[in-house]
Amino acid sequence: MALTGLKEKFGGLRVQVEAEGIDRPALRAVVASVDAESVRTCEFCGAPGEVRTRGDAPYGWRMSVCDGCHSRWSEHQILIIHGSVRERHGPG
C-alpha cells in the first residue's frame, strides 16, 4: 500500500492511497473514517471541533476548529505555518 496524496480541503483531510491485494472495501472504510474524524478535530489543538470560517463569515477559508481556537484564529492571533501552530504577535 502506498500513500499517494494527502491534503486539506474545505476543512477536512483528503487521503489517497494505492493498494494491491488488499480488501478494498475495508480500505475505503478506513479512509472514510479518517476523513470524517478530520472534520470533527481542531487543526490547532486537537480538541473536538467543527468546520468553520473566520468569524463565521459566509465565505472564506474553512478549517476544523474548536470554539477557543476559532475566536483566536478569527482575530488573527494564531495560524499554522509549515504544519506548526504559531502565535501571532503584534498588530493582526
Side-chain angles (χ1 to χ4, degrees), residues 1-2 17-28:
M1 179 169 60
V17 294
E18 288 182 5
E20 292 184 29
I22 226 168
D23 181 0
R24 290 192 186 277
L27 180 59
R28 278 194 287 275

Side-chain angles (χ1 to χ4, degrees), residues 51-81:
V51 176
R52 298 170 77 176
T53 58
R54 275 195 168 120
D56 289 323
Y59 301 101
W61 192 267
R62 298 182 187 286
M63 289 185 75
S64 296
V65 293
C66 66
D67 287 340
C69 291
H70 180 256
S71 62
R72 294 175 65 218
W73 176 55
S74 292
E75 294 168 6
H76 299 269
Q77 294 175 351
I78 57 174
L79 63 155
I80 297 176
I81 299 174

Side-chain angles (χ1 to χ4, degrees), residues 6 14 16 19 41 43 56 58 67 73 79 81-82 86:
L6 181 64
R14 301 298 181 259
Q16 296 173 330
T41 305
E43 294 183 42
D56 289 323
D67 287 340
W73 176 55
L79 63 155
I81 299 174
H82 300 294
R86 304 288 173 94

